[in-house]
Amino acid sequence: MQTVRIKTLSGAGMLLFAALFIFSQTSHVGSLEVTHWAEVMIEGNKTLDVTAHLSGLIGTILDTTGVTITNAEIAAECEIIGQNTTCWCGPEYVWSNLVCDSVNKCCNVEKCVANISYVTPLCLPKVNVSLIGMLTGSPSTVTTMLHNAFSVLNAFNSLDIQGTLFTGAYTYAHNFTVSLSSVFATSKVQSIIATLLTNPTIYSLNVKSLGMVFMEAPTGKVCYNSRQQLNCTSIEAMSKCVWQMQRGEEEPLVLGPGSEVMLSDTCTETSTVALLKTSGFWSGTYSCLFVSGNIAHMAMAPIQIALLPEVINVTSNPQTIDCSEATSTKVTISCSIDNSSETYLPRLKLGSLENTTPIKEVLSGIIKYTAEFSVNCLAEGKPSSFEGSCTLENTLNQLRNLTIKVSIIYRGDPFCAEEVIEERTWPKTKNNETAVIDCIASGRQGTMKRKCNGETWGEEVSLCVKAILNDVALQAKDFEKGLGATQEVAQLIFQSLKNNTAEDSDNSFGDVKTAVNVFRTMKQASVNMPLGENLIPDFLESASSMLNVTWDGGDEEESNSLAVQYLSSVEGLVNSININNSEGYNSTNIQLQICRSGPTCNKTVFNVEVELNATAAMVKTVGLQNLANRLPKLGYEEALFPSIVVSSTVVNNTQPSVNIRLAFPNDEGVSATMQCVFWNVSEDRWSDEGCDFVQGPGNTAFCECNHLTSFSMLMSKHAVSMPFLDQLTYIGLGISICSLIIYIIIECLVWSAVVKSALSHFRHTSLLNISLCLLLADCSFLASSFPSILNDTICLILVVAKHYFFLAMFFWMLCLSIMLVHQLIFVFSHIGKKMYMILGFTIGYVCPTVTVAVTYVYYDQATDIPYYSTKTCWLTYQSAMQGSIHAFLFPVGTIVLVNLASMVVVIVTVLKPSGAETNKKGDNDAAKSIIKVIIFLTPIFGGTWILGIFVFLMDDFTQFITYVVHYAFTIVNSLQGFFILLTGCFAEKRVRDEILKIVLGKSGKEQGTATSTAK
C-alpha cells in the first residue's frame, strides 16, 4: 500500500474534494494495489455530485503508468470561501493523525475550520482500535480522570470501566477500555501514561492495544504433527516482542525457543513464530505483543488442530488370558485418553478380532472406550499371546494407535496365583511376565509392577509418583517444547523439584525415575534455552537427594539405565548452565567447583584432588557421591568401585589435548590391584583407554588420563586411543595431502597430452575427482582432530564435510571400476564420453549428497540419536543398526566389495591365454600380472578400506590382533593419497614421459638450437 498525492487544479476554485483512488497493477509477482489521494477543485459556486462521477473512473487505465483504477471514493471535502476553509471527512472516515497533531482543534470534531487542505492524507478509513488497561491506586473512582486523559486521542469514542477490585491497604485495581476509530502514535499514549503516573495516588498503569498489530495465522483446522507459522506486523517499531499462548481459561504462557517452537530473530516491527510439530498441546489462542515501556500492541488468533491423543493407555481385563481350565473365555480391552474436543473414530482389536463400535464413557476428565472379546482357548496352534490394540482416527483421517501384548495361560503352564497385599490385588500372571496394577496410595499417581518367576512372585516395585512431581515433569516437557521457556519458569521447575525430593521425604523408585526424567528434559531444553546460574542451588540439591534413595526397580538393567541417564543429565546440565559469578556449590552428595582462565585447574571434591591442564575460559569439576556402584559394571563385575565419580567439563579450551590427574585416597593399600577407568558416554560403560594408574606416596593413588583422535576412529564404534596411533595418523595425512596436491597439479599439466582416447578420458576424470574428494576429506579430518577446541557449529560442518567427501571418493571409485569392467567385458560396446560424464557426476556427487542429507535429516528430526558426536567430531554409534555411522559403513562396505569383485574380473581377463605358451612361462607371467593388477588397482578401488570392516567389528582390545588391524588400517589409509600419486601418475608411462618433457623440454630445446647454429 502506497500513498501518493495528486493535484489537479483547473483555475481558481471554491470547493475541494479529497478522493481516494485504488490502482492495481499486474506483474509477474502477482497483484499490487497502491492507494492514491487526488484533489479535485470545482470553480465558482457551482455544485457537483462528485460521487456519481467517481464510479465512471473505475476500470480506467492510466497511459503513463499502465495501472488500472479498481476503486474510487470520497475521503474528505473542503469548502473554500475567501480566506476561510472548512473541511470534513467522508462517511466511515476520520481525521488522520497528521491533522489532529498539527491542528488540535480539529481532533474529534465533525467539521474543522482551518487551512488543512494541504495535509495528505486528510482523512483515513475508520478502524477499530482498543486500549485495554489496568490502573492501581488509592482512588476508588477514576472514570473522569481517565476520560480527560485519553479523550485527547484522535477519533476517541468512549472510555468504559470494566470493573474495580479492592485489593486491600486502600488500593483499588481498575480495569478499563478505551475505544478509538483510528490508530495512534505510541509516543502520545506513553506521554498520557507518564502524566497520569505523576499523580501520587496512582501506583501503576499498564496498557495493551488491539488494532495496532496485524497477525497472519492459519484458519480452520490444521493437521496434527504439521508445521504452522504465525506472522505479526506492528505499524510502529517497538522495543521488544513477546509471544504467548493460552489454553481455555488458563493463564497465558510465554513462548520461547524449544524443540517444537522457533522464533524469528527480528522483533521490533515484525515477528514470526513457527510451530514445528502441531499437536493438541499447541491448540489455543496465540498472542503477539510488541512492547515499549508501559504499553504493548497486541494481536490474537486461535489455532485449531485436528487432535490426536498424546497418551493412550490400553489395558486388558484380565491382564493374562486364562485358558487353563476352560475352552473359551471373555477378555475386555479398554482404551483411555484425556478428554478432548475432537471426535474420534475408535477401533479396538484383540488378535484378529475387531470392534469398531466400542462403548464410550467420560469420567473425571478421561474418555474410555471398552469392548469385550471372546477367546477360543482351543484355537489351532495355541498362540502364546495375542496383540490388543486401540486405533483412533480424527476428523482429518489421521491415525494414532497403541498395541499391548496379552499373554495366555494354558493347562500345564507355570503361573503365579492371584495374591492380595494390603488392599493391592495382584492378578493371576503367567511365568516370566510382569503384572501391573494402578497406584492406590493417596497423593500418588502411576502404577506398581511385580514379576512372576515360575510360580513365585517377585518383589513389588512402586512406580507410583507424587502427583505434584508429575505436574513438575509436565511443566518441564512444556518448557522443553518452548511453552513457558523463560528463566523464571526454569527456576520454578527446579525449586518445585527440590521441595518435593527433599532428603526427609519418602522418595520411591518412581519418584527417582520422574526426577531423572525432569533432569533429562531440562538438559534437552538447554540446547535451545540457555539456563542461568541462579538455578544451581535448587538443581544440585534436588539431584543430591536422589542419591540417598535405593534405586532398586526390580530389574538390574532398568536400574543401571536410570543411573546412566542420571549421570548424563547432571553432567549435561552442569555443562549447559551459564556460570558468570558463581564459585561453585556444595550439597550432601554433589560438589561443584569452578576454575577460570588459567593453564591449570586444581580443585578438591570429596577429598579427591583434581588437577587439569587446559588453557580454557572455565573448568567445571563435579564430584558425585554414591553413584559409581549404581552404574553398569560391564567388564568390571568383580571390581570394587569407590563411591565417588568425578566429572570435569572444559569450556572453550584452546589446547589440542586435555590432561587430567586425579588423586584418590587408596584405602585398600598395596594388596589391591588398582585400575583407572573413565565413563565412556558413547558406549555407556567403563573404559581404561587412555588412562594410567600411578601409585603415589602413602595411600594416595593417581589416575592420569589423556584422549586424542586417531584416523581409525572413522570406522570404529568409538574413539580409539593407542600408542603413537595419532602421530602415525597426522604424519600419514600430511604426506597424503602433499601427494594429492602434486598429483592434481601434474594432471592439469599433462592432461591434453595424455588424454587422447575416451578410455583415458574416463580414467583420468575419475582419478582427478577421487583425488580432489580425498584431499578435501583429509583436510577436513585434520581440521577436526582436536574436537575440544571446536564449537558445535564448526564440528558439525567438518562432520558433514568428512561424511560427504569420503563417500564421494568411494562413489567415484565405483564409477571407475564399473567403467573398467564394462570395457573388458563389452569390448565392442563403448560408452560415449557425454554419457560417462553424466553417469559419473550423478553417481559421484548426487548419490553422496542424497545419502548425507537423508542421514542428517533423519537423525536430526526423527530419532533421539544425534547425527554426530561433539566429543569426536564424527558420526555416532549407538548399537547394531543404530547410529549415523551406518550411513557411512554400508555404502563404503558395499562399494569396496563391488570394487574387489571388479578387481577379480580384471585378474581373470588378464590371465586369459593369448597364445601357445609353456606352463612355466605362463605361471610366471600370471603371477606378475596378478601382482601388478593388485598394486595398481587397490589404492584407486579403495581395497585397503576392507580393513575398516574389521576395525568396526573388532573392539576387544585385550586381543593383539585388534591392535594390528587398527595400526594397519591407519597406516595404509592415511597414506592413500601417496599411493594414488605412485600408481595413478608415476606408474603410467605416458604421464612419466610427459613429465620428463616438461622438466627437460626447455634445456633440450636450447641444446638443439646451439647445435644448428654451429652447423
Side-chain angles (χ1 to χ4, degrees):
M1 189 69 70
Q2 178 183 357
T3 302
V4 180
R5 185 176 179 84
I6 303 175
K7 286 190 176 181
T8 306
L9 301 177
S10 57
M14 298 296 294
L15 188 62
L16 175 67
F17 292 87
L20 172 66
F21 294 92
I22 299 178
F23 296 85
S24 67
Q25 180 177 13
T26 303
S27 64
H28 67 283
V29 295
S31 179
L32 174 67
E33 286 195 345
V34 182
T35 301
H36 295 267
W37 297 92
E39 288 184 354
V40 180
M41 301 294 294
I42 300 177
E43 299 177 352
N45 294 320
K46 185 178 180 180
T47 60
L48 178 66
D49 183 5
V50 179
T51 305
H53 292 274
L54 288 179
S55 59
L57 297 174
I58 296 175
T60 303
I61 300 176
L62 304 184
D63 296 334
T64 55
T65 58
V67 298
T68 303
I69 299 175
T70 58
N71 190 31
E73 59 187 31
I74 295 176
E77 298 178 67
C78 288
E79 184 180 52
I80 304 173
I81 302 174
Q83 300 297 319
N84 297 321
T85 302
T86 302
C87 297
W88 60 94
C89 295
E92 299 304 317
Y93 279 81
V94 294
W95 299 116
S96 68
N97 285 329
L98 291 174
V99 172
C100 195
D101 291 339
S102 59
V103 184
N104 290 334
K105 67 178 183 179
C106 290
C107 270
N108 302 316
V109 296
E110 184 177 347
K111 291 188 177 183
C112 179
V113 181
N115 185 17
I116 56 174
S117 60
Y118 63 90
V119 179
T120 303
L122 195 60
C123 298
L124 288 173
K126 288 182 179 180
V127 291
N128 292 322
V129 176
S130 299
L131 287 171
I132 305 165
M134 173 181 281
L135 181 149
T136 60
S138 58
S140 59
T141 303
V142 292
T143 304
T144 303
M145 180 194 307
L146 292 175
H147 185 280
N148 293 338
F150 286 100
S151 61
V152 300
L153 292 174
N154 184 30
F156 174 84
N157 292 327
S158 63
L159 181 141
D160 297 315
I161 301 296
Q162 305 297 323
T164 299
L165 178 66
F166 178 69
T167 59
Y170 304 103
T171 302
Y172 295 85
H174 304 276
N175 294 307
F176 64 91
T177 300
V178 177
S179 175
L180 307 172
S181 294
S182 171
V183 297
F184 56 84
T186 303
S187 58
K188 193 166 185 176
V189 174
Q190 286 176 329
S191 176
I192 293 172
I193 294 173
T195 302
L196 287 170
L197 289 174
T198 59
N199 187 333
T201 64
I202 297 178
Y203 307 146
S204 67
L205 177 57
N206 293 286
V207 174
K208 294 179 181 178
S209 76
L210 288 173
M212 298 285 288
V213 175
F214 303 97
M215 179 187 287
E216 296 177 60
T219 57
K221 276 193 176 182
V222 299
C223 285
Y224 182 89
N225 203 26
S226 62
R227 179 188 172 108
Q228 302 296 330
Q229 182 168 304
L230 295 86
N231 304 313
C232 265
T233 304
S234 173
I235 65 172
E236 287 187 7
M238 303 290 277
S239 301
K240 63 177 182 178
C241 71
V242 178
W243 282 89
Q244 295 179 337
M245 194 272 273
Q246 182 178 20
R247 303 190 191 111
E249 299 300 322
E250 297 177 9
E251 285 294 317
L253 290 175
V254 175
L255 299 184
S259 62
E260 297 184 7
V261 172
M262 186 169 62
L263 299 173
S264 60
D265 296 330
T266 58
C267 201
T268 54
E269 289 184 87
T270 60
S271 182
T272 298
V273 63
L275 305 178
L276 306 181
K277 294 179 180 179
T278 56
S279 63
F281 178 86
W282 295 109
S283 185
T285 300
Y286 288 77
S287 305
C288 61
L289 296 91
F290 291 86
V291 183
S292 183
N294 294 49
I295 186 168
H297 299 323
M298 179 174 64
M300 296 186 296
I303 297 290
Q304 290 183 315
I305 299 169
L307 304 179
L308 283 174
E310 299 301 310
V311 178
I312 300 178
N313 183 28
V314 181
T315 58
S316 166
N317 184 23
Q319 290 186 23
T320 305
I321 301 173
D322 190 359
C323 284
S324 61
E325 299 177 355
T327 58
S328 66
T329 186
K330 300 288 186 180
V331 177
T332 300
I333 298 297
S334 299
C335 176
S336 302
I337 61 173
D338 288 335
N339 201 358
S340 173
S341 58
E342 185 75 18
T343 301
Y344 294 114
L345 293 177
R347 292 198 301 273
L348 300 184
K349 291 184 67 176
L350 180 65
S352 59
L353 305 175
E354 183 177 25
N355 188 318
T356 58
T357 58
I359 299 172
K360 177 182 178 181
E361 298 177 284
V362 181
L363 184 64
S364 301
I366 298 295
I367 299 176
K368 186 175 183 180
Y369 301 98
T370 57
E372 187 178 69
F373 298 91
S374 181
V375 177
N376 181 11
C377 294
L378 302 178
E380 185 179 352
K382 284 192 175 183
S384 61
S385 64
F386 283 134
E387 280 193 350
S389 67
C390 171
T391 302
L392 298 173
E393 181 178 351
N394 67 13
T395 51
L396 294 184
N397 306 119
Q398 294 177 293
L399 303 176
R400 171 65 57 87
N401 75 319
L402 181 68
T403 299
I404 62 169
K405 184 180 80 168
V406 185
S407 298
I408 306 174
I409 301 175
Y410 294 103
R411 186 184 300 275
D413 290 343
F415 63 87
C416 294
E418 180 180 303
E419 185 177 358
V420 179
I421 303 176
E422 297 178 355
E423 300 182 357
R424 298 187 298 274
T425 302
W426 293 98
K428 185 177 181 179
T429 302
K430 190 176 181 179
N431 171 41
N432 210 31
E433 297 291 340
T434 300
V436 179
I437 62 173
D438 292 332
C439 290
I440 59 174
S442 176
R444 289 185 174 272
Q445 301 170 343
T447 59
M448 297 184 70
K449 65 179 183 179
R450 198 178 185 196
K451 190 171 183 179
C452 175
N453 301 306
E455 297 181 356
T456 305
W457 282 108
E459 293 294 325
E460 292 180 309
V461 178
S462 174
L463 298 179
C464 300
V465 182
K466 300 169 188 172
I468 193 167
L469 268 185
N470 262 339
D471 293 339
V472 174
L474 292 174
Q475 194 173 21
K477 288 181 180 179
D478 288 358
F479 186 96
E480 188 271 335
K481 291 178 180 178
L483 187 59
T486 65
Q487 294 295 330
E488 294 76 17
V489 173
Q491 186 165 15
L492 179 63
I493 290 172
F494 283 114
Q495 281 179 349
S496 300
L497 197 60
K498 181 192 76 171
N499 295 336
N500 293 282
T501 56
E503 295 183 11
D504 57 352
S505 63
D506 181 20
N507 292 320
S508 67
F509 181 77
D511 292 331
V512 175
K513 196 171 183 179
T514 301
V516 172
N517 283 335
V518 171
F519 292 147
R520 183 174 59 178
T521 302
M522 295 303 290
K523 171 196 168 186
Q524 294 168 345
S526 66
V527 174
N528 300 303
M529 182 69 186
L531 304 176
E533 63 184 353
N534 60 315
L535 307 176
I536 291 177
D538 294 327
F539 155 54
L540 292 183
E541 288 291 349
S542 56
S544 175
S545 298
M546 294 297 98
L547 296 174
N548 289 326
V549 183
T550 301
W551 294 8
D552 187 5
D555 185 336
E556 183 179 0
E557 184 177 345
E558 184 178 13
S559 300
N560 289 341
S561 175
L562 185 63
V564 172
Q565 290 179 20
Y566 176 90
L567 177 60
S568 172
S569 301
V570 170
E571 279 188 327
L573 280 169
V574 169
N575 184 32
S576 62
I577 290 176
N578 294 327
I579 296 179
N580 297 318
N581 302 314
S582 176
E583 296 298 327
Y585 187 85
N586 293 338
S587 62
T588 305
N589 294 307
I590 300 178
Q591 292 184 358
L592 169 64
Q593 300 294 321
I594 306 297
C595 287
R596 289 182 173 82
S597 300
T600 61
C601 174
N602 295 282
K603 290 291 181 181
T604 301
V605 290
F606 294 115
N607 297 322
V608 177
E609 297 177 9
V610 183
E611 178 184 344
L612 193 143
N613 298 318
T615 303
M618 183 179 295
V619 177
K620 305 174 184 177
T621 302
V622 182
L624 299 105
Q625 196 167 242
N626 301 324
L627 178 63
N629 283 322
R630 306 174 194 261
L631 293 165
K633 297 181 179 180
L634 298 175
Y636 299 92
E637 287 81 0
E638 304 301 322
L640 295 176
F641 283 84
S643 65
I644 301 166
V645 174
V646 177
S647 169
S648 288
T649 301
V650 180
V651 181
N652 295 330
N653 182 34
T654 58
Q655 291 183 197
S657 63
V658 176
N659 299 314
I660 185 170
R661 180 183 173 98
L662 307 171
F664 284 91
N666 181 10
D667 298 328
E668 300 296 325
V670 296
S671 61
T673 301
M674 305 295 290
Q675 192 169 10
C676 291
V677 293
F678 76 98
W679 184 254
N680 189 320
V681 294
S682 62
E683 295 188 354
D684 290 339
R685 69 173 187 177
W686 293 107
S687 173
D688 61 355
E689 297 170 18
C691 291
D692 298 312
F693 169 73
V694 179
Q695 180 63 53
N699 69 336
T700 304
F702 293 100
C703 281
E704 296 179 348
C705 295
N706 184 14
H707 297 90
L708 296 173
T709 305
S710 60
F711 194 83
S712 62
M713 179 197 68
L714 283 176
M715 300 293 281
S716 181
K717 299 174 184 176
H718 50 81
V720 178
S721 181
M722 295 183 184
F724 306 109
L725 193 64
D726 305 298
Q727 289 81 356
L728 289 173
T729 296
Y730 305 138
I731 292 171
L733 287 178
I735 295 172
S736 183
I737 289 172
C738 293
S739 301
L740 290 169
I741 293 173
I742 293 172
Y743 176 79
I744 292 171
I745 293 173
I746 291 175
E747 278 287 352
C748 294
L749 292 174
V750 305
W751 183 274
S752 59
V754 301
V755 178
K756 299 294 186 181
S757 64
L759 186 62
S760 63
H761 185 274
F762 300 160
R763 180 174 182 272
H764 283 274
T765 298
S766 298
L767 285 175
L768 187 59
N769 281 280
I770 290 170
S771 302
L772 182 61
C773 293
L774 181 58
L775 174 63
L776 294 173
D778 286 348
C779 290
S780 300
F781 186 91
L782 275 183
S784 65
S785 296
F786 305 107
S788 59
I789 64 174
L790 303 175
N791 62 43
D792 290 352
T793 302
I794 295 177
C795 184
L796 172 60
I797 292 172
L798 292 174
V799 171
V800 172
K802 288 187 288 184
H803 193 187
Y804 176 77
F805 288 119
F806 274 119
L807 284 183
M809 174 190 74
F810 279 101
F811 277 105
W812 273 106
M813 289 177 176
L814 179 65
C815 292
L816 182 60
S817 71
I818 292 174
M819 178 273 298
L820 184 57
V821 171
H822 181 274
Q823 293 299 317
L824 290 174
I825 297 176
F826 304 101
V827 179
F828 301 103
S829 176
H830 299 289
I831 301 176
K833 186 185 296 185
K834 182 178 179 181
M835 178 60 68
Y836 176 78
M837 294 298 286
I838 293 173
L839 290 174
F841 278 89
T842 300
I843 296 174
Y845 290 119
V846 175
C847 288
T849 300
V850 172
T851 303
V852 174
V854 170
T855 304
Y856 176 78
V857 171
Y858 175 75
Y859 282 96
D860 186 58
Q861 302 291 334
T863 71
D864 295 330
I865 303 172
Y867 169 69
Y868 73 106
S869 168
T870 56
K871 295 183 181 296
T872 60
C873 273
W874 184 231
L875 305 175
T876 55
Y877 173 82
Q878 191 83 0
S879 60
M881 302 305 295
Q882 291 188 354
S884 57
I885 196 170
H886 294 91
F888 180 75
L889 293 173
F890 286 153
V892 169
T894 303
I895 291 173
V896 168
L897 293 177
V898 170
N899 288 355
L900 289 178
S902 300
M903 193 183 301
V904 171
V905 172
V906 173
I907 292 172
V908 171
T909 305
V910 169
L911 294 180
K912 284 183 180 179
S914 57
E917 298 174 347
T918 65
N919 289 338
K920 185 175 181 180
K921 184 177 179 182
D923 291 341
N924 291 335
D925 290 343
K928 290 179 182 179
S929 299
I930 292 172
I931 293 172
K932 186 176 180 180
V933 168
I934 292 174
I935 292 175
F936 272 72
L937 295 185
T938 295
I940 61 175
F941 276 11
T944 55
W945 283 75
I946 195 71
L947 291 169
I949 297 175
F950 296 103
V951 166
F952 180 76
L953 296 175
M954 301 171 66
D955 58 355
D956 183 3
F957 289 92
T958 62
Q959 301 293 325
F960 177 73
I961 189 64
T962 303
Y963 287 85
V964 172
V965 171
H966 275 82
Y967 280 113
F969 176 81
T970 298
I971 292 170
V972 297
N973 286 298
S974 64
L975 291 170
Q976 187 175 7
F978 176 68
F979 296 143
I980 288 177
L981 176 66
L982 294 179
T983 59
C985 182
F986 295 128
E988 186 175 344
K989 186 176 184 304
R990 281 193 295 181
V991 176
R992 291 201 308 271
D993 292 343
E994 193 61 29
I995 293 173
L996 288 174
K997 286 182 182 179
I998 293 173
V999 174
L1000 304 176
K1002 185 175 180 181
S1003 58
K1005 287 180 182 179
E1006 289 175 352
Q1007 183 179 0
T1009 303
T1011 304
S1012 298
T1013 306
K1015 288 181 180 179

